[in-house]
Amino acid sequence: MLGLPGFRLLAAEEVRGELEVTVETSAARVGCDACRVVATLHDRREVVVRDVDAFWRRSRLRWRKRVCRCDEPLCAARTWTERSDAIRPRQSLAERVRKEACRRVGRGESLAAVARDRGTGWHTIMKAVREHGVPLVDDPARTASVPAVGVDETSFPEGDAAPLDPLRVGAGPSDHGPVARLDGA
Ligand SMILES: [Zn+2]
């Protein structure tokens, strides 16, 4: 149901018209990165991020992160917080939302429209496009067969266009022939 490997569902409820899904990691035991001794649960810390739509409504994930502690006296590690590639630190969007946003911008939707749809600012979407789009375009295998990587300025209305490097981000048709797209389509 979750589609988030490594997580399990704890609760789901509607909060102000949005679906809020509470999750935790499914690992039964966590080892200390430094000494491999089984860690002790020290605390929980919750983070909330926007997730992909579910059941025809906006949804968000409430992740009850474990704060772990190593009790091995000789180990330098003390406490640390769980990490996941699915919900990265200091992000307001789940990683799959950031990837989806990048694909949508790559298909020609404006940053502003995607941001509005996701209830976030365009800077957040721009950051996702930079992180997930640029590595694809930089991959030589993706651009070997196209003569130019272009940007469709209609996808980046005034205000959104300034931070982009048009040589690195392909987002739509170009005047120079076929264009490498971000979405793998
Ligand atoms: Zn340790």
Side-chain angles (χ1 to χ4, degrees), residues 130 133-143 149 167-169 180 182:
R130 281 176 185 265
V134 171
L136 288 180
V137 175
D138 280 351
D139 179 355
R142 290 187 54 78
T143 52
V149 175
L167 294 175
R168 290 168 64 86
V169 179
L182 299 173

Side-chain angles (χ1 to χ4, degrees), residues 31-38 69-78 80:
C32 171
D33 278 344
C35 72
R36 302 293 168 198
V37 164
V38 175
R69 186 181 73 229
C70 180
D71 290 331
E72 167 56 48
L74 297 177
C75 180
R78 290 289 172 261
W80 66 94

Side-chain angles (χ1 to χ4, degrees), residues 17-70:
E18 296 188 7
L19 182 67
E20 181 173 292
V21 177
T22 304
V23 296
E24 67 176 4
T25 53
S26 52
R29 296 190 301 178
V30 177
C32 171
D33 278 344
C35 72
R36 302 293 168 198
V37 164
V38 175
T40 303
L41 178 63
H42 179 71
D43 200 359
R44 294 273 185 175
R45 190 171 298 158
E46 293 190 345
V47 296
V48 179
V49 294
R50 290 212 168 277
D51 196 13
V52 291
D53 292 349
F55 301 105
W56 301 278
R57 70 191 71 188
R58 279 186 176 172
S59 78
R60 57 190 185 220
L61 288 171
R62 180 176 291 275
W63 177 17
R64 300 195 65 224
K65 280 182 157 189
R66 298 178 222 220
V67 180
C68 301
R69 186 181 73 229
C70 180

Side-chain angles (χ1 to χ4, degrees), residues 18 48-51 53 58-59 90-94 97-98 100-102 104-105 110-129 160:
E18 296 188 7
V48 179
V49 294
R50 290 212 168 277
D51 196 13
D53 292 349
R58 279 186 176 172
S59 78
R90 292 176 293 283
Q91 297 294 340
S92 58
L93 304 174
V97 177
R98 303 182 75 231
E100 180 212 40
C102 179
R104 289 174 61 179
V105 172
S110 74
L111 289 168
V114 175
R116 201 164 42 243
D117 194 35
R118 284 286 160 228
T120 188
W122 73 264
H123 288 93
T124 302
I125 302 299
M126 185 70 243
K127 199 164 166 236
V129 169
D160 287 0

